[in-house]
Amino acid sequence: MSLEQRVERLERENRRLKLAGGAVVAVLLIVALVGAVMPQGIPEVIDARMFRVVDESGTVRATLGASAIRYFDENSHQHVRMSDEGITYFDEDHNMRATLGRTEIVTPSTGATTTYPAAVVLYDAEGNVIWQAPR
């Protein structure tokens, strides 16, 4: 390679480096200007009726509303609900399987409904009570 070809190649590389450097400086300047225009700090109050957590495929996985917090599986089936009534767990077939908190239990032999202010109740797949505390 002749000296003239080497100089031409160096000049081309120098021009490319100058263009790349200028582009980098321009991008950094734009980022700095955008950052200066954006509002800073944490808002004092956020008002909303509901917050939703959505996974990468767009499926709602959890909600936080005025009356309850709910957790959903990948098929949008509710598994857990937390409300002022307590915490309720549902199985994959949508059956209520456990509750913690205020619970109403119907006694099959009498048909009477008893409300417990604080109870733990486990249910079978048909909704029958299999264990409870207090009894």
Side-chain angles (χ1 to χ4, degrees):
M1 184 181 285
S2 72
L3 182 59
E4 189 175 316
Q5 290 172 330
R6 286 181 173 175
V7 170
E8 285 178 21
R9 190 185 84 210
L10 286 173
E11 286 177 349
R12 276 193 312 270
E13 289 176 3
N14 189 27
R15 275 192 300 273
R16 288 183 192 143
L17 287 174
K18 283 182 182 179
L19 286 173
V24 168
V25 169
V27 167
L28 291 175
L29 184 62
I30 290 170
V31 168
L33 289 174
V34 168
V37 172
M38 291 180 63
Q40 301 297 318
I42 298 172
E44 293 294 322
V45 176
I46 298 174
D47 292 326
R49 288 186 177 80
M50 180 188 307
F51 292 95
R52 296 185 319 167
V53 177
V54 180
D55 67 12
E56 57 278 347
S57 67
T59 303
V60 175
R61 298 301 301 266
T63 61
L64 169 61
S67 62
I69 299 171
R70 301 169 192 267
Y71 169 74
F72 302 90
D73 67 11
E74 62 278 354
N75 298 316
S76 300
H77 299 132
Q78 177 179 250
H79 274 287
V80 178
R81 178 182 65 225
M82 292 181 280
S83 68
D84 59 349
E85 301 287 317
I87 301 171
T88 306
Y89 170 76
F90 301 90
D91 67 13
E92 59 277 352
D93 295 323
H94 318 287
N95 299 314
M96 182 172 56
R97 297 306 296 264
T99 59
L100 169 64
R102 193 174 106 196
T103 305
E104 291 184 346
I105 298 176
V106 178
T107 306
S109 59
T110 63
T113 300
T114 306
T115 301
Y116 295 98
V120 177
V121 182
L122 302 179
Y123 303 90
D124 65 12
E126 286 76 41
N128 301 311
V129 175
I130 57 175
W131 185 84
Q132 71 185 56
R135 279 201 170 269

